[in-house]
Amino acid sequence: MIGIDALVLDGASASAVGTTVDVLSAANRILGTPTFDLRFVSPGTEVVLRGGLTATAQPLTRAAPREVVVVPGLGAADPEELASRLAAPDVELAGRWLTTAHGHGTTVAASCTAVFVLGACGLLDERRCVTTWWLGSELARIAPNARVVIEEMVVRDGPIWTAGSAFAHIDLMLALLRFLGGAALTDELASRLVIDERSSQAAFLIPSHLSARDETVAALESFVRTHLDQPHTLASLAQWCRVSPRTLARRTDRAVGLSPMQLVQRVRLEHALHLLRTTDLPLGHIAASVGAADPATLHRLVKRHTGRSPGALRPGTRGHARANSIVGPAASTR
């Protein structure tokens, strides 16, 4: 039996907590035996989830970490609320417990804003990690030694697993189950739960929202959006913004966690995805309109960031990519 601890903190996402329960329960039913033993742990004996739901938990002071710890999102809505939450005594206690668990060889997984708990206690240092796309730059500020990405849905770096938004928690659970139980179990779970793979957050990025943190970046995003079919270079973008290339790179990284050219690519991708989902324009026409070199280049870009081909995104077409392609080797349990 594999012991899995759900470390649940006050205000945690009720949907993520429920997803943890549902995925593990479904896995046990498929296997026909209680292979995965779920336990709730928390700084106290009772935790209040977002929306007022409550759950009973075993106090961390009496809970020795087991094989896997899963931490659902904190429920913080903005950087200010998140900073306040990270400074709270229960989060500090949770961070110390997670550090001990990691030291004992436990696999630690977190989604959405719970990734910040890992960052605050140093578990993300020198590791690739992801959080919800609109807080990527904030995570980079809080955990400056982490290698933050915002394009991927689930990232594994050694024993540390992180996932994007709150609803990416199901992707995190499937990735963990693939690692713990193999591809066949994950395929069956995805089929029974009717889950399509979401391998990237890029389709959900809203550059205009992100760039509002910096007036220069906001202006650049607007300029690129209205000149999608034109070629752009770092030098030309910096000249348009009337700053040096180095200054522009620094400001876009601080505002959106991307380089200037990556921002251009995101804006192009966003518009291409919109056209694919709302029109029947030929792929070549869409590629030209967003400044892609050719249809093949756009096809690769869409596939890399959504996990689906452009044709699967067309109106009336439902992609059938399943969680069997989530990255993570099947492994025997400890």
Side-chain angles (χ1 to χ4, degrees), residues 137 213-214 216-217 220 234 238 243-261:
S137 58
R213 301 181 184 185
D214 185 293
T216 297
V217 179
L220 174 63
L234 175 58
V243 297
S244 70
R246 179 176 295 182
T247 296
L248 181 61
R250 184 175 63 250
R251 294 179 72 161
T252 58
D253 180 66
R254 184 172 60 243
V256 301
L258 299 170
S259 71
M261 295 311 298

Side-chain angles (χ1 to χ4, degrees), residues 210-269:
L210 292 169
S211 60
R213 301 181 184 185
D214 185 293
E215 290 184 1
T216 297
V217 179
L220 174 63
E221 187 271 336
S222 179
F223 169 74
V224 171
R225 189 174 296 279
T226 55
H227 297 81
L228 284 174
D229 60 342
Q230 296 183 12
H232 299 292
T233 65
L234 175 58
S236 69
L237 295 175
Q239 183 178 13
W240 187 87
C241 293
R242 297 182 179 179
V243 297
S244 70
R246 179 176 295 182
T247 296
L248 181 61
R250 184 175 63 250
R251 294 179 72 161
T252 58
D253 180 66
R254 184 172 60 243
V256 301
L258 299 170
S259 71
M261 295 311 298
Q262 286 173 328
L263 177 60
V264 171
Q265 188 180 66
R266 293 299 165 270
V267 176
R268 285 173 166 164
L269 176 64

Side-chain angles (χ1 to χ4, degrees), residues 51-187:
L53 296 175
T54 60
T56 301
Q58 184 168 334
L60 294 178
T61 53
R62 300 202 304 268
R66 301 192 296 174
E67 287 91 340
V68 180
V69 177
V70 177
V71 193
L74 296 178
D78 54 51
E80 291 73 23
E81 184 181 357
L82 184 56
S84 175
R85 195 70 189 87
L86 290 176
D90 64 328
V91 175
E92 184 180 353
L93 175 59
R96 292 198 301 269
W97 189 85
L98 286 168
T99 301
T100 299
H102 172 65
H104 291 165
T106 294
T107 294
V108 179
S111 64
C112 197
T113 47
V115 176
F116 285 76
V117 179
L118 275 58
C121 65
L123 292 184
L124 300 181
D125 288 355
E126 306 305 325
R127 296 186 185 278
R128 294 181 72 253
C129 57
V130 66
T131 186
T132 188
W133 59 267
W134 51 274
L135 286 173
S137 58
E138 184 68 13
L139 179 60
R141 186 186 68 80
I142 289 176
N145 294 324
R147 297 194 293 272
V148 182
V149 298
I150 60 172
E151 301 171 2
E152 301 177 48
M153 196 68 73
V154 177
V155 172
R156 177 195 175 199
D157 192 322
I160 304 297
W161 299 66
T162 53
S165 65
F167 287 102
H169 193 80
I170 196 164
D171 300 274
L172 177 64
M173 292 305 301
L174 287 175
L176 281 172
L177 265 292
R178 180 182 178 90
F179 175 73
L180 296 171
L185 172 61
T186 310
D187 289 347

Side-chain angles (χ1 to χ4, degrees), residues 7-77:
L7 173 50
V8 186
L9 299 167
D10 280 339
S13 165
S15 63
V17 173
T19 292
T20 304
V21 174
D22 288 345
V23 169
L24 294 176
S25 296
N28 283 334
R29 287 196 300 271
I30 290 170
L31 295 171
T33 181
T35 303
F36 303 104
D37 180 44
L38 177 63
R39 176 181 69 170
F40 283 0
V41 296
S42 185
T45 57
E46 186 175 81
V47 59
V48 180
L49 307 179
R50 188 189 313 168
L53 296 175
T54 60
T56 301
Q58 184 168 334
L60 294 178
T61 53
R62 300 202 304 268
R66 301 192 296 174
E67 287 91 340
V68 180
V69 177
V70 177
V71 193
L74 296 178

